[in-house]
Amino acid sequence: MTLPLKVPDLRLGVNIDHVATIRNARGGGHPDTLRAAHLAVEAGADGITAHLREDRRHISDDDIARLKHELTRPLNLEMAATQEMLDIALRHVPNACCLVPERREERTTEGGLDVAAGGDRLGRIIGDLKAAGIRVSLFIEPDRRTIEASIQAGADIVELHTGAYCEKALADDANGVADELDRLGRAAALADAAGLEVHAGHGLTFDTVAGVARLPEIVELNIGHFLIGEAIFGGLPSAVRRMRVLMDEARAGAEPSRERVRSA
Ligand code: PXP
């Protein structure tokens, strides 16, 4: 029997870290992260993502408190898997926490989490977050071993790192782009078939979003730096609306997953 298969909708999480980067360049409260979050939601964001880094280089504790209190859409808190961040997450109870690797000297989150190396400590943090009703996502490289470790660790969601794909696109390396999309597609199908929710993000732009939006198992994209950069030229609402259109157009052409067909 052929079951009617539908490609799920694709959500957009707007990462507002770099609104805070600009604010912090001068201190004070401008530009305001909450105002940016409201504008992004009005323009079509389904949720807001913010990364509270150990060194507080952009998002502050106060940003998280205000976002959690005032936002009308889900808040996805990105954080390192540390006791300090766990305590903060348990205080604010965001809709989801995305656990990311963090190195103080990096400019941005350069790679995925080494889930297998996280051991019992990572498992305990995931367990504590879930016990508080917070959905737990792990930001990982798109590979089988890490997906299996994520299942083992008890994650609800994996967010696949799209940085390598975007770098190949920036370098105009068509074969590299095809290889990376293939890797992302296989990882997404594997994670989805295992019952994980699949997200993706990092480095996505107007030019690269469609390739990922066509992967039918991916249900959420988290996009930040490019949107905030574009906002300088045309405004945040316009940048978010354009991203939404590109995502939705690509999604409309997506084929249902073969893994889903097989597992249906
Ligand atoms: N997803 C995760 C887990 C991230 O850490 C980040 C930011 O580093 C993003 C998505 C968004 O990446 P970008 O700002 O490059 O769009």
Side-chain angles (χ1 to χ4, degrees), residues 15 17-18 51 53 57-58 78 100-112 139 161 163 167 202-203 225:
N15 179 316
D17 292 352
H18 297 301
H51 184 175
R53 278 185 169 267
R57 69 177 70 161
H58 38 56
E78 290 178 4
V100 302
E102 217 177 271
R103 287 189 303 122
R104 209 172 252 267
E105 66 276 18
E106 71 190 355
R107 252 195 257 168
T108 180
T109 313
E110 283 164 357
F139 188 42
H161 199 307
E167 272 170 29
H202 202 90
H225 182 267

Side-chain angles (χ1 to χ4, degrees), residues 23-45:
R23 176 196 62 199
N24 296 355
R26 283 291 168 98
H30 182 75
D32 179 26
T33 49
L34 189 60
R35 182 175 167 206
H38 284 316
L39 282 175
V41 167
E42 279 165 28

